[in-house]
Amino acid sequence: LERPRAVFEQLSMLRRYFGEKEAFYYAWVSHYTVFLLFAVVPCLVCLAAQAGTSFGNDTVMTLCLWMCLWTTLHEELWKRKESELVWAWDLVDFEYVEKPRLDFHGDLWLSPAGQPETYFAWGPYLLKLVVSLLLAAFFVSLSVGACILAHQFRLTMGCLTMTDPVVAGQSPTPSPSPSPSVETCHW
């Protein structure tokens, strides 16, 4: 899939310059980008097949099955690539110790291991969590509402264009009943 020699040399240069953590990140991005090419082509084919039809045909089901297979293949091949990099960089027994962030402000306390650590108090943490969840719920409900409104608009416009003779470009025929669009559109 990728040119192993060129990609590995570039990753090795990144590893020497930035460290293992960043090199693994770029390795994952490189792997993911290559695999996205295998997802784009079937999606474009499905989009072309859907251009003139509804979403109820078999191309969507085929695309869903392909994406399940694609996700599994991507994950398993990334595990293999990661193991390959761990072996090549001699990181088999490597345990990454994260340096404390300088911009982290918290209270000092003794960890169960007896070493001083900084921790973030529960009060501000819960406040940030509640505000984040409320904002996320608001924007999700806003998105769902927009989808419902768009669907309702499509139904209304489709109903008017199919049943109303004036909108459809036909000559109106006088009838004693109200407009056909009111009678035939059920919401």
Side-chain angles (χ1 to χ4, degrees):
L1 298 176
E2 300 168 343
R3 294 183 332 201
R5 176 175 224 112
V7 172
F8 186 74
E9 288 173 5
Q10 292 170 355
L11 288 175
S12 294
M13 289 188 322
L14 281 171
R15 175 184 169 243
R16 285 192 300 270
Y17 190 75
F18 290 113
E20 285 82 11
K21 186 176 180 181
E22 284 77 13
F24 271 114
Y25 170 75
Y26 284 107
W28 182 84
V29 167
S30 169
H31 184 77
Y32 185 63
T33 304
V34 168
F35 260 79
L36 278 178
L37 294 175
F38 296 106
V40 167
V41 173
C43 288
L44 290 176
V45 169
C46 181
L47 185 65
Q50 292 295 327
T53 62
S54 66
F55 282 100
N57 61 15
D58 294 334
T59 56
V60 174
M61 183 61 72
T62 307
L63 180 66
C64 291
L65 291 173
W66 168 250
M67 292 308 293
C68 289
L69 179 67
W70 176 86
T71 305
T72 305
L73 281 173
H74 173 262
E75 183 66 26
E76 293 303 318
L77 288 174
W78 167 246
K79 286 180 191 176
R80 181 178 177 162
K81 174 91 170 180
E82 184 181 31
S83 298
E84 200 176 290
L85 290 173
V86 165
W87 181 81
W89 292 342
D90 195 25
L91 300 174
V92 176
D93 296 327
F94 181 75
E95 186 175 325
Y96 185 76
V97 178
E98 190 172 338
K99 298 175 187 172
R101 296 175 296 178
L102 298 177
D103 57 347
F104 179 73
H105 303 289
D107 298 327
L108 267 159
W109 72 301
L110 284 177
S111 71
Q115 298 181 2
E117 290 182 355
T118 53
Y119 77 100
F120 197 64
W122 281 99
Y125 171 75
L126 288 177
L127 179 66
K128 287 181 180 181
L129 181 68
V130 167
V131 169
S132 298
L133 289 175
L134 287 175
L135 278 172
F138 170 73
F139 284 113
V140 165
S141 63
L142 192 68
S143 299
V144 168
C147 289
I148 290 171
L149 283 175
H151 181 69
Q152 199 64 20
F153 179 74
R154 284 184 63 197
L155 285 177
T156 304
M157 294 311 292
C159 191
L160 286 177
T161 58
M162 288 189 291
T163 58
D164 195 0
V166 175
V167 175
Q170 302 168 356
S171 61
T173 56
S175 64
S177 65
S179 170
S181 62
V182 176
E183 289 178 359
T184 57
C185 291
H186 303 288
W187 299 338

